Amino acid sequence: MTSVGIHIEKGTPTAAPPGRASWHLRANAIVVGWLALTVAVALAGDVLPVPRWLLIHVFLLGAVSTAILIWSEHFTVALLRARTPQQRWSLARLALLNAGTVAVLAGVAAGPWPVAAAGAGAVVGVVLWHAAALVMLVRRALPGRFGHVIGWYAAAAGALAAGGTLGGLLAAHVGHGAMHERLHAAHVQVNLLGWVGLTVLGTLFTLWPTVLRTRMPEGTRKASRAGLWLAAPGLAVTVAGLLADLHLVAAAGLVLYAAGALAAAVPLAEAVRRRRPHTGAAWTLGAAIIWFEVALTVDLVIVTTRPAGAVGRALEPLIPVVLVGFVAQVLVGSLLHLLPAVLGGGPIRFKENAALLERGWVVRLAVLNAGVVLLALRVPAPLLLLGWALVVTAVAAFVILAVAALVRSRAFAVPRDGAAEPEGGGPDRTAGRTAGRSALAGVAAGCVLTAAAVVVATTGGSGPAATVTATGTRTVEVTLSGMSIRPAMIEAPVGTVLTLRVTNADAQRHDLRLATGERTPVLAAGQSVTLTLAPLGETVDGWCTVAGHRAAGMTMRIVPTGALAQPGTDTGHGAHGSAGQTTSPDGDDATVTGIEQTVLDLVAPFSPGWKPYDATLKPAPGGTEHAVEIRADDTVVREVAPGVRQRVWTFNGTVPGPVLRGKVGDVFTVTFVNGGTMSHGIDFHAGANAPDGVMRTIAPGERLTYRFRAEHAGAWLYHCSTMPMTQHIAGGMYGAVVIDPPDLTTADREFLLVQGELYLGEPGSDGQVAKIRQDRPDGWMFNGTAAGYDHAPLEARTGERVRIWAVAAGPSSGTALHVVGAPFDTLYKEGAYLLRAGDPGGAQVLDLAPAQGGFAELVFPEPGTYPVVDHTMRQAEGGAHGLFEVGAR
């Protein structure tokens, strides 16, 4: 057997050097302190800002990361039989890790974000320093059988460096919408499977047989190397696939990781075959391993079946399983086995501490895992609350026992008569007492620092909030639907304790967040959640945090009556009392009046590699049945004007979406897939269908079949049908259906121009949505690009009959299509000819209101360059402009 604790089984332990004992007591007391703080955060619930985020990161960054730093160094020294490194550097790394953790917690909970980003940088730096220290230990040690384990620790440190970097980017609000979701998904995967998962798998090679009190199986070294060479690259591929929005690549990487974990599990299974678990530590670690395999399987299914931008949200229900079922049980099981050895005091005290820590372990194990089962299943809210209660009770019981063991260890009390006196007598006893005081100081420091961060976050750093005495209660039904929150205003006397029963009555997902911190999860159609507020003392604003919904009008306000408004509130304007301004869900102020308009440089060159949308319209295909798949995607980045790139919302990745063409009577079967990160729908103006079914909004990852018969000829618009449609259409979610009139003659060339408005900025952001609502575009586009056909002219020949189909996508402006120097001799608009070739008259423009379509025909009289423009001059000068290059026939 190997690992710490082997000498304990065989006889009286040799006393650790005073400094080493002091180091371990001090360090492990901090771990126990973080665990206690985790329990406190869980019990506090929604009283704290970002309660779910705080709970996860107090546990993972505080307790788990501290434990990893302590025990990975300890195991490296023990396995390599290396000289113990200078403890001042170990303590310095531990102090820096905890300082960085406090900065991250305070920065995210209270701000500003640079504090959180700096904390993340400190955490990354200290873990890389720790990894370098372990590598130096390996280089200085004699060759041995256990060096392979250190590779797992080094790989885990690299994973934490990547995860911490991603966390810093998230704290700095780098990336919005789908990119933010992909960063979050990669952050979760690399931290849980890398920093925690790789560390645990590497440690179990030696810890697991030691806990079982059996020999290490043959082939452990081979299994370890094979597992690491599969798991580490697999995790890297997974993270890269998520960041690049290639979910199948991410799934392939996760398969490699799972194969590595399976290879690592082979010697663990062999150890169990030799001897079954028989202690609380063994059963707890065994339960953790099982939950890890369950979580990994579910994770693989999610990554395989969801777009990369939806992985993070889909993983949310799995996080309690990983954190509690796997990580918490690994930590508790390890401490059950290791703490008695660290506390020392001779064989009698070792047995007493081991018995104390395992007191009632069967009940605690059953309670905790029953809680995990409830958290893993979709159960009603009362059962979910019961699950959390069971988990918190089990962890709190362990914390109480661990603190009791610390208090009664030899570091805190004089050994009883008959107990083994430590070697060195009085000096070690004095050192033990010093270590005990240091350990308590470490626990107190960690808890006080984090508690201070929480207090700052709760009060906003502005001093204690005014206390309001409860005077009564009231329940209000709140409905989310149609880009509105009803009621939009709630008035109640000061001191009223409001209970809001929030129901999503819409087809798409919404949530409700209040400025006081209470918030619902994102609710699917028909879901309800109850929020209970503190006694009302000041005006409280609420809004939906889904991209663009707040700016579209999904806001509410709760106003106290019977008293003057609190200082700093403004009952006539926005949440921050500044007329014409609002605050985004991220806390960033965005001006919505006095909008800053961008002047586009339409003569500037496009970026190298830019290609225009192909305006050439192909003839209608043969047959009467047409099948097409249209996929919504809200993560595409395109060049929308010369040198201007931004994210757009698209059908099949282009603006406009794919063109559907056919003849009167043809049937179109459209498979509509929502590959985006938010709800979308689709509406074909060319079909006659009840909108309830085929035009319904569907969630990310869902699909529907839209079947319609084209009964009427014309140039028809299709667009996203999800509210607010102005945002989805302005974002680029539109396209054309061309149904040929029965008597349509053959043209030499046919082109399609779909005109749309250009609104610069992140889709759904307050600034962009404000411009949409005020009808103030930054420009206008033919086929998704402003002035694109100035830089890539359309081609024609003299004497050819050229047909130009046009659709006005809007969302708010139409077009007056005009070709300079070549009158139209044929005009077809909204299903009827207004002018035919051979008629004595001619036409200057094809005028279309928003959503209308038609075509115009002309023959270019001589070679040259002919502008095609929207003769609404403001719109032409804003980008609705292109060129025909006409050559001799």
Side-chain angles (χ1 to χ4, degrees), residues 376-637:
L377 300 176
R378 292 186 176 181
V379 296
L383 289 179
L384 187 64
L385 183 62
L386 174 62
W388 281 114
L390 294 175
V391 166
V392 170
T393 299
V395 175
F398 169 77
V399 170
I400 293 170
L401 294 175
V403 170
L406 285 168
V407 169
R408 79 176 198 178
S409 70
R410 68 171 183 168
F412 296 89
V414 178
R416 296 182 308 176
D417 294 337
E421 183 72 17
E423 291 184 6
D428 190 59
R429 175 174 166 182
T430 302
R433 287 175 175 171
T434 303
R437 289 192 293 271
S438 299
L440 285 176
V443 173
C447 292
V448 168
L449 285 173
T450 306
V454 169
V455 169
V456 170
T458 306
T459 64
S462 59
T467 301
V468 179
T469 303
T471 59
T473 62
R474 178 182 168 192
T475 299
V476 179
E477 296 288 336
V478 177
T479 302
L480 312 176
S481 179
M483 290 300 109
S484 65
I485 301 176
R486 299 191 299 271
M489 179 177 290
I490 300 171
E491 294 183 334
V494 171
T496 302
V497 176
L498 286 172
T499 298
L500 307 182
R501 180 174 172 80
V502 184
T503 301
N504 181 15
D506 208 352
Q508 61 176 308
R509 296 158 66 91
H510 297 293
D511 67 356
L512 175 63
R513 176 176 178 175
L514 300 177
T516 47
E518 296 88 355
R519 66 183 305 169
T520 71
V522 177
L523 303 175
Q527 287 187 325
S528 297
V529 168
T530 298
L531 298 179
T532 300
L533 283 62
L536 185 61
E538 60 182 359
T539 299
V540 178
D541 286 279
W543 61 88
C544 177
T545 68
V546 177
H549 288 194
R550 182 182 186 182
M554 291 201 73
T555 61
M556 70 174 300
R557 171 162 288 185
I558 303 172
V559 179
T561 59
L564 295 176
Q566 296 295 318
T569 63
D570 182 346
T571 58
H573 298 297
H576 293 271
S578 178
Q581 288 193 345
T582 185
T583 303
S584 70
D586 295 330
D588 299 325
D589 289 335
T591 302
V592 297
T593 63
I595 300 167
E596 180 181 347
Q597 298 291 128
T598 301
V599 178
L600 299 172
D601 184 0
L602 300 177
V603 299
F606 278 85
S607 302
W610 169 79
K611 293 182 180 180
Y613 185 96
D614 186 1
T616 304
L617 185 61
K618 296 175 181 166
T624 59
E625 296 274 347
H626 311 286
V628 63
E629 179 177 289
I630 295 181
R631 178 178 291 270
D633 189 347
D634 45 43
T635 64
V636 176
V637 176

Side-chain angles (χ1 to χ4, degrees), residues 252-274:
L254 204 54
V255 169
L256 283 178
Y257 181 94
L262 187 61
V266 171
L268 307 184
E270 175 64 21
V272 173
R273 191 185 64 81
R274 292 180 177 180

Side-chain angles (χ1 to χ4, degrees), residues 201-302:
L201 289 172
T203 301
L204 287 175
F205 288 118
T206 53
L207 180 62
W208 181 241
T210 301
V211 171
L212 292 178
R213 295 187 174 90
T214 186
R215 296 184 61 82
M216 182 182 294
E218 298 294 332
T220 295
R221 181 189 302 181
K222 183 177 180 181
S224 171
R225 289 176 175 171
L228 182 59
W229 279 106
L230 288 170
L235 182 61
V237 171
T238 298
V239 172
L242 290 173
L243 293 176
D245 198 16
L246 302 171
H247 76 102
L248 292 181
V249 172
L254 204 54
V255 169
L256 283 178
Y257 181 94
L262 187 61
V266 171
L268 307 184
E270 175 64 21
V272 173
R273 191 185 64 81
R274 292 180 177 180
R275 187 167 188 185
R276 301 291 177 84
H278 56 286
T279 64
W283 278 104
T284 303
L285 285 173
I289 295 170
I290 292 172
W291 280 117
F292 178 69
E293 298 296 338
V294 170
L296 190 56
T297 301
V298 176
D299 188 13
L300 181 57
V301 172
I302 290 173

Side-chain angles (χ1 to χ4, degrees), residues 762-774:
E762 179 67 18
S765 66
D766 286 353
Q768 192 206 54
V769 173
K771 289 186 286 188
I772 295 172
R773 289 166 66 85
Q774 296 181 18

Side-chain angles (χ1 to χ4, degrees), residues 61 80 107 136 318 393 496 696 749 840 858 886:
L61 270 181
L80 298 178
M136 292 300 298
L318 189 62
T393 299
T496 302
R696 71 183 184 274
R749 296 177 189 265
L858 72 159
V886 179

Side-chain angles (χ1 to χ4, degrees), residues 8 92 131 165 176 248 300 317 320 348 394 536 606 660 668 686 737 748 777 812 857 879:
I8 296 174
T165 301
H176 296 278
L248 292 181
L300 181 57
I348 295 177
L536 185 61
F606 278 85
L660 281 61
F668 293 84
V737 178
D748 296 297
S812 299
E857 295 180 7

